[in-house]
């Protein structure tokens, strides 16, 4: 199928090409529809990149993938169109637009229903005859009212904590991890209008339309349960494709003159970089390189003024980022809020770079599973870890090798994508979708 969004949100849909007709073993390929608010290049964070990687991996395995995302919501929040081009990767991408612009997003946010784009999405799903409809971040593209659309196996991946938190991130009053519900006061502190539908049981009723819920870590699953999420969740981590280029264990010239530690991520208060900058005010034996940008950047730069060992690199392309990962003593991950996973940790492991992460959220389970880093809670613990990894080269080398091995064992595409298909197959069997289960069984091994 190919579909083109035209003025007013209408869609022109053509028949599926004959190349889709037969797959491995005589079975036709699976047909997936990914529905999300954000998708690259109309994307801010790691969730959209994770959806893109999953979609590309499925296409490489011979399946058909359509992604439906809300272009208007990105443009509204970004203040303009993205600058990066969309890749030519075999994934069919439909960017929803309407003449209502930001009003469409506001209506969905406030009603929990796909007021503007609902009819368009339903036509896409009907025309595509999808085996699997995978919902991701649907907060602005349709809200919980979208979960009843489509006839295929329905899956929802919790890239954020939107199912249990109006702000998505369990970062209460924009200053601390959430330890208990104060939702109305909290959203007002973010200068957002409360979502009244969250107080009516509407979300819980719509969840009944979904066959499988997936959390990105054991921590996130437990946090959903703690905050009253009523459905069982499987756990499936993020993954990365391939090995990230050249072998990181082979010596090459460092891109930076002095030994350095690395921070990678959005420069927002919730990421906790302030604590690391203060640690480097005391720790002068190495530099801190900061890769990323964000709304908190100006304040962080003011904090680091006069510190010659703190360098801001801005946003880096993939090749440059891989290079700085490769030569870092360790990646420092200080997030002060509850992440659902932490893609940068497995990026670091793939590059054979150890991790020093805050003892919070999913980081302990990831670091301990890999045996490839240290955890900290206090600035003293952080400074001790910095010194230990810099001074004990044999210890650092052991952690680096552990991380590289753990990446291929737990978080590579060849491990995670078959597990995703297995989870879908099991859900199809439980819901009595015999043909879909058979196709998924074939997809696991194709």
């Amino acid at each position: 199928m190919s579909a083109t969004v035209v003025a007013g949100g209408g869609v022109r849909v053509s028949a599926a090409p004959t190349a889709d007709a037969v797959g491995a073993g005589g079975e036709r390929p699976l047909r997936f529809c990914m529905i999300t608010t954000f998708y690259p290049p109309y994307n801010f964070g790691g969730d959209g990149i994770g959806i893109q990687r999953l979609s590309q991996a499925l296409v490489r395995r011979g399946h058909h993938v359509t992604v439906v995302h809300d272009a208007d919501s990105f443009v509204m929040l970004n203040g303009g169109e993205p600058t990066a081009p969309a890749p030519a990767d075999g994934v069919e991408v439909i960017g929803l637009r309407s003449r209502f612009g930001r009003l469409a997003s506001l209506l969905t946010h406030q009603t929990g229903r796909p007021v503007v784009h609902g009819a368009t999405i339903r036509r896409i799903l009907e025309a595509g005859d999808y085996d699997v409809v995978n919902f991701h971040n649907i907060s602005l593209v349709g809200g919980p009212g979208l979960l009843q659309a489509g006839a295929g196996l329905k899956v929802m991946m919790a890239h954020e904590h939107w199912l249990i938190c109006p702000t998505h991130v369990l970062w209460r009053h924009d200053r601390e991890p959430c330890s208990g519900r104060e939702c109305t006061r909290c959203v007002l502190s973010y200068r957002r209008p409360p979502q009244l539908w969250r107080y009516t049981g509407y979300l819980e009723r719509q969840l009944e339309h979904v066959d499988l819920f997936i959390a990105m870590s054991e921590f996130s699953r437990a946090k959903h349960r703690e905050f009253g999420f009523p459905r069982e969740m499987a756990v499936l981590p993020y993954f990365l494709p391939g090995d990230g280029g050249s072998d990181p264990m082979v010596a090459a010239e460092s891109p930076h003159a002095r030994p350095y530690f690395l921070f990678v991520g959005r420069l927002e208060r919730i990421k906790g970089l302030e604590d690391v900058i203060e640690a480097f005010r005391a720790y002068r034996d190495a530099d801190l390189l900061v890769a990323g940008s964000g709304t908190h950047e100006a304040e962080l730069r003011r904090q680091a003024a006069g510190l010659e060992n703190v360098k801001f690199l801005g946003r880096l392309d993939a090749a440059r980022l891989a290079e700085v990962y490769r030569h870092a003593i360790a990646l420092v991950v200080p997030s002060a809020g509850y992440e659902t996973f932490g893609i940068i940790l497995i990026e670091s492991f793939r590059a054979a770079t150890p991790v020093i992460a805050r003892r919070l959220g999913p980081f302990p389970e990831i670091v301990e599973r890999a045996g490839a880093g240290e955890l900290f809670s206090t600035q003293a613990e952080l400074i001790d870890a910095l010194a230990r990894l810099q001074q004990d080269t044999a210890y650092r080398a052991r952690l680096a090798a552990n991380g590289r091995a753990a990446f291929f064992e737990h978080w590579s595409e060849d491990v995670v994508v078959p597990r995703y298909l297995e989870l879908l197959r099991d859900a199809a069997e439980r819901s009595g979708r015999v043909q879909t289960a058979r196709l998924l069984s074939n997809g696991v091994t194709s």
Side-chain angles (χ1 to χ4, degrees):
M1 181 191 81
S2 64
T4 304
V5 179
V6 297
V11 177
R12 292 194 298 268
V13 181
S14 62
T18 56
D20 257 2
V22 179
E27 294 279 15
R28 66 169 176 82
L30 285 151
R31 299 183 60 78
F32 292 84
C33 186
M34 308 287 181
I35 302 181
T36 179
T37 298
F38 303 115
Y39 187 80
Y42 293 82
N43 176 71
F44 295 103
D47 58 335
I49 295 171
I51 299 163
Q52 183 182 55
R53 286 175 177 149
L54 176 59
S55 300
Q56 292 169 338
L58 292 169
V59 167
R60 283 193 289 272
R61 284 160 173 77
H63 305 300
H64 179 95
V65 180
T66 299
V67 175
V68 179
H69 72 95
D70 190 342
D72 283 338
S73 290
F74 174 86
V75 171
M76 174 187 70
L77 296 171
N78 188 56
E81 295 287 335
T83 56
D89 55 9
V91 178
E92 178 188 39
V93 180
I94 301 174
L96 298 174
R97 294 184 183 273
S98 84
R99 66 182 183 275
F100 298 104
R102 67 171 58 229
L103 179 60
S105 302
L106 179 61
L107 286 170
T108 292
H109 182 270
Q110 287 297 284
T111 67
R113 292 165 171 80
V115 177
V116 174
H117 292 308
T120 299
I121 294 172
R122 284 191 291 271
R123 287 200 298 271
I124 292 170
L125 294 176
E126 290 169 4
D129 192 24
Y130 295 102
D131 303 295
V132 177
V133 180
N134 194 331
F135 300 102
H136 298 276
N137 175 358
I138 58 171
S139 59
L140 298 180
V141 72
L146 197 58
L147 298 177
Q148 59 188 295
L153 180 74
K154 294 183 185 179
V155 184
M156 185 160 197
M157 299 180 80
H159 300 276
E160 299 180 307
H161 289 116
W162 173 78
L163 287 166
I164 54 174
C165 174
T167 69
H168 302 209
V169 290
L170 291 175
W171 182 242
R172 192 169 57 189
H173 306 308
D174 199 21
R175 66 170 184 257
E176 63 191 10
C178 183
S179 59
R181 291 188 181 278
E182 299 176 4
C183 297
T184 301
R185 287 177 53 210
C186 183
V187 295
L188 290 175
S189 73
Y190 279 86
R191 298 182 180 179
R192 298 179 185 176
Q195 297 170 306
L196 298 181
W197 55 264
R198 286 187 179 269
Y199 303 91
T200 66
Y202 175 66
L203 172 62
E204 290 73 16
R205 293 191 297 274
Q206 297 307 306
L207 298 178
E208 296 300 320
H209 297 286
V210 179
D211 300 295
L212 172 66
F213 293 90
I214 296 176
M216 312 314 295
S217 63
E218 293 288 351
F219 169 82
S220 184
R221 174 164 66 178
K223 193 57 67 175
H224 276 81
R225 186 181 299 119
E226 175 188 336
F227 277 78
F229 186 69
R231 300 290 297 277
E232 291 298 316
M233 304 182 85
V235 174
L236 185 78
Y238 285 105
F239 67 88
L240 297 174
D243 62 3
S246 59
D247 187 348
M249 308 305 284
V250 176
E253 185 176 352
S254 174
H256 190 71
R258 277 169 46 87
Y260 67 89
F261 293 84
L262 178 64
F263 171 91
V264 176
R266 292 181 293 113
L267 303 187
E268 309 292 346
R269 191 180 301 277
I270 196 172
K271 295 300 183 179
L273 182 56
E274 298 95 334
D275 297 339
V276 184
I277 291 174
E278 285 308 303
F280 276 82
R281 194 179 300 279
Y283 189 82
R284 298 301 184 101
D285 292 339
D287 289 350
L288 172 66
L289 301 189
V290 177
S293 62
T295 61
H296 197 41
E297 181 172 353
E299 187 171 336
L300 291 167
R301 286 181 178 271
R302 284 193 294 271
Q303 180 189 1
L307 294 180
E308 295 295 327
N309 61 335
V310 177
K311 312 288 185 181
F312 288 83
L313 306 180
R315 296 186 66 179
L316 303 180
D317 62 30
R320 173 69 171 156
L321 186 58
E323 185 181 20
V324 295
Y325 265 124
R326 181 179 181 183
H327 294 279
I329 298 169
L331 176 75
V332 184
V333 188
S335 290
Y338 296 136
E339 307 273 0
T340 58
F341 185 71
I343 294 177
I344 57 172
L345 277 76
I346 64 174
E347 286 179 348
S348 196
F349 296 154
R350 184 177 66 175
T353 298
V355 166
I356 302 172
R358 196 183 295 271
R359 192 178 287 106
L360 186 70
F363 301 155
E365 74 182 77
I366 297 170
V367 172
E368 290 167 3
R369 170 171 277 193
E374 295 201 14
L375 300 168
F376 72 92
S377 298
T378 66
Q379 187 178 96
E381 288 180 334
L382 172 57
I383 292 173
D384 286 346
L386 297 172
R388 197 157 34 246
L389 266 72
Q390 182 170 5
Q391 295 167 10
D392 192 338
T393 56
Y395 173 56
R396 186 209 173 278
R398 186 164 67 252
L399 296 183
N402 288 349
R404 177 82 168 160
F407 165 73
F408 285 107
E409 182 178 358
H410 301 295
W411 301 295
S412 68
E413 176 180 322
D414 290 341
V415 171
V416 177
V417 175
R419 177 60 181 151
Y420 168 76
L421 295 171
E422 288 173 0
L423 290 173
L424 267 57
R425 179 195 60 199
D426 294 346
E429 290 175 347
R430 288 194 301 271
S431 62
R433 292 181 169 87
V434 177
Q435 181 182 12
T436 301
R438 186 181 71 249
L439 292 170
L440 285 160
S441 294
N442 181 65
V444 169
T445 57
S446 63

